[in-house]
Amino acid sequence: MAATQTLPRTARAQDVAEAAGVSTATVSRAFNTPAKVAPAVRDRVFAAAAILGWLPHAAGSALARRRTSIAGVVIPTLGQEVFATQVEAMQAAFAEHDITLLIGCSNYDPDQAAQQVRTMLARGVDALAVLGQIPQAGLFEVVQARRVPFVITYGSAPGSTHPCVGFDNATAFSEITRYLLALGHQIFGMILPPTLHNERIVARLAGVRSALADEGLGLRPQHIFEGEYGILAGRKALRQILGANGPRPTAIICGNDLLAIGALFEARTMGLVVPRDLSITGFDDISMAGEIDPALTTMKVNNVEIGRLAVEYLVSQLCGEAAPSEVLILPALVERSTTAPPPK
Amino acid sequence: MAATQTLPRTARAQDVAEAAGVSTATVSRAFNTPAKVAPAVRDRVFAAAAILGWLPHAAGSALARRRTSIAGVVIPTLGQEVFATQVEAMQAAFAEHDITLLIGCSNYDPDQAAQQVRTMLARGVDALAVLGQIPQAGLFEVVQARRVPFVITYGSAPGSTHPCVGFDNATAFSEITRYLLALGHQIFGMILPPTLHNERIVARLAGVRSALADEGLGLRPQHIFEGEYGILAGRKALRQILGANGPRPTAIICGNDLLAIGALFEARTMGLVVPRDLSITGFDDISMAGEIDPALTTMKVNNVEIGRLAVEYLVSQLCGEAAPSEVLILPALVERSTTAPPPK
DNA sequence: TTGTACGCGTTATCAT
DNA sequence: ATGATAACGCGTACAA
């Protein structure tokens, strides 16, 4: 007894076409340009497809269309709210154009980032966003060779040759510094996350220095703490800075909100009242910043907007439209309750 | 003067083959099974590919291989550390198998989640993970029809028919309740995020109730606050619960760490000393939990492990191996400094 | 070890 | 409005 059982292959357009008594061309049209198919036929096709559980096969479709409807984004980590927010905004914005988002994390490692970019190209992404900076010399050329629209987000190296959507880190930190100067502060401390492979952090330090220099002031080496990330690092940093010899800073500028929150906690532990005894500023305006007590003075970076604008740029490139290759947003000072004039 | 300029098409395997003086089969082999190609030839192929900037075209490759090397994950949002962490772990684990990850956010909306799943199937994902629960009746069947390995993560409906990797929410919350009972607490409050479309939250409440019932105790309605998310919600909830008529709870069980942190902040504002006057517990063990002061007693959910195990399951399915269709991890109580025996 | 030739599933072009 | 047919680019038996 020969087993003539057809091993149930997954349905193709051909199968749907046969079931509906039409050609594969009509099946394709019914799904892609329904208006061009007679309603009765269309319904037959849909019914057949539903029964067979058929959906257009992505690879076949991509091959014929020369488009995958997949975009890629490479970020350092999803563990930071600012990056996660941006990715989520991108995903939503791309979805409006029926584009799905591939993600890759580099863990702040340029080599991993470059590898992720290559992998995404191999997956046939239609467009590509990289957070921060181009990870490797020559990589941009590879992307260009494949004619894949490309954009750098979040960071912005002014004068960079690559299309970018972001903000100017130096300017933003100059602004927050000038705000503290206007309050009357003269002695500053600064707490920074690791600067390794991170131009943005370097720019933040430069922004502070430049604003201070305009007033003939500077940042004492013992008042700079650099190299760790998170609340505990903020605590440790504040202890170290306030424990240093010489005059004590009255204002602490932190490279991000988490460090600032750590500094804030430590100030309380040390018996200092913020902002009476010490002013502290953050950066990013993460969701916690406004919810702790005292609420953190910081700068809001609209990451949703960055994500949206990046997608807008990529989509316009995809459509062959011209678009400005550098889009800058302006972080806005959010004055809350951790800043005040220095103590007398 | 006829312009015979060839508009530069992007390179195919054919072009590389010609440039290297071999057949396309050899080009393919050089990239996929290098061992089967003579070293000299291989180098010629690689050189030609490098010059032309060629990479295998994803769609063609996927069509021939019947595999896209792309997996998908659908989560409520990237804005919550627990979900972002899990996604990041999945991305890393998939990368080891040369699989790239597509993400979709549902914003806690079952319809959006279902749509994301459909989109991913249309993109030809090789495997699919959905965080929480299956969003729609009938959707699982669609996935099965396409023979796409599938797993539910994070949540676990015991007795569910779908493969899942997660933990038992009810059991976990029973455990934390028993811990507080053992410390001597008798009157409990509970603060919960929105339960709408979220079985996991419902299970947490049930877990607490069940552990209390074992001791003949219960949760008074005025001691349950439900429906908002975040630090501010935690503050508001504590105010409301402690302001209610009747006996005051000595322990507050929170549905997650952020609510617990809010409650902790509010307790301080109200002049209460935690844990002397009031015990508070969280859930998840987000990075902040151990960094605030007093450090939060909570339960650690190893989301990295969940992500890893989910990928392991999916990959084994992809390889046609058998694998247990329900994998449970055990959240672990992390006893820190927000819990103590109740005041006399 | 290498080449030939076919199939993968869809869409676009061109006829009808 | 619909059908026939030719790409689309790669991987892989099979043959040499």
Side-chain angles (χ1 to χ4, degrees), chain B residues 107-126:
Chain B
N107 300 306
Y108 295 97
D109 173 358
D111 290 342
Q112 282 188 56
Q115 189 49 52
Q116 297 280 6
V117 169
R118 275 182 240 278
T119 303
M120 293 197 171
L121 292 176
R123 296 288 173 270
V125 292
D126 288 338

Side-chain angles (χ1 to χ4, degrees), chain A residues 13 28 32 54 57 64:
Chain A
S28 176
N32 298 311
W54 180 82
H57 183 100

Side-chain angles (χ1 to χ4, degrees), chain B residues 36 52 60-61 65 69 75 78 88 92-93 126 163 176 183 197 200 213 229 240 250 275 291 303 324 331 337:
Chain B
K36 294 189 160 188
L52 293 166
S61 167
R65 280 185 204 276
S69 293
I75 57 168
L78 281 173
E88 182 154 343
D126 288 338
I176 210 161
L183 284 176
H197 297 139
R200 306 185 293 286
Y229 180 79
Q240 194 163 312
T250 59
E291 303 195 328
N303 282 286
S337 313

Side-chain angles (χ1 to χ4, degrees), chain A residues 18-154:
Chain A
E18 283 165 16
V22 297
S23 72
T24 59
T26 299
V27 172
S28 176
R29 278 190 290 257
F31 275 77
N32 298 311
T33 52
K36 293 189 162 190
V37 175
V41 178
R42 203 170 49 200
D43 292 345
R44 251 171 35 228
V45 172
F46 285 156
I51 290 171
L52 294 167
W54 180 82
L55 284 174
H57 183 100
S61 172
L63 197 50
R65 280 185 205 277
R66 286 109 156 272
R67 180 162 282 208
T68 55
S69 294
I70 291 176
V73 57
V74 176
I75 57 168
T77 167
L78 280 173
Q80 263 201 66
E81 185 180 320
V82 283
F83 302 154
T85 303
Q86 198 182 115
V87 170
E88 182 154 345
M90 284 188 182
Q91 187 261 307
F94 271 130
E96 285 177 20
H97 297 274
D98 210 28
I99 292 174
T100 317
L101 191 60
L102 223 38
I103 63 153
C105 300
S106 69
N107 301 305
Y108 295 96
D109 174 356
D111 290 341
Q112 282 189 54
Q115 190 49 52
Q116 296 280 7
V117 168
R118 276 181 240 277
T119 304
M120 292 197 173
L121 292 176
R123 296 290 174 268
V125 293
D126 288 339
L128 198 52
V130 176
L131 192 141
Q133 67 225 44
I134 191 96
Q136 261 183 13
L139 193 57
F140 185 55
E141 286 64 32
V142 178
V143 176
Q144 277 191 314
R146 306 215 112 204
R147 291 195 182 63
V148 173
F150 175 82
V151 68
I152 301 280
T153 68
Y154 197 67

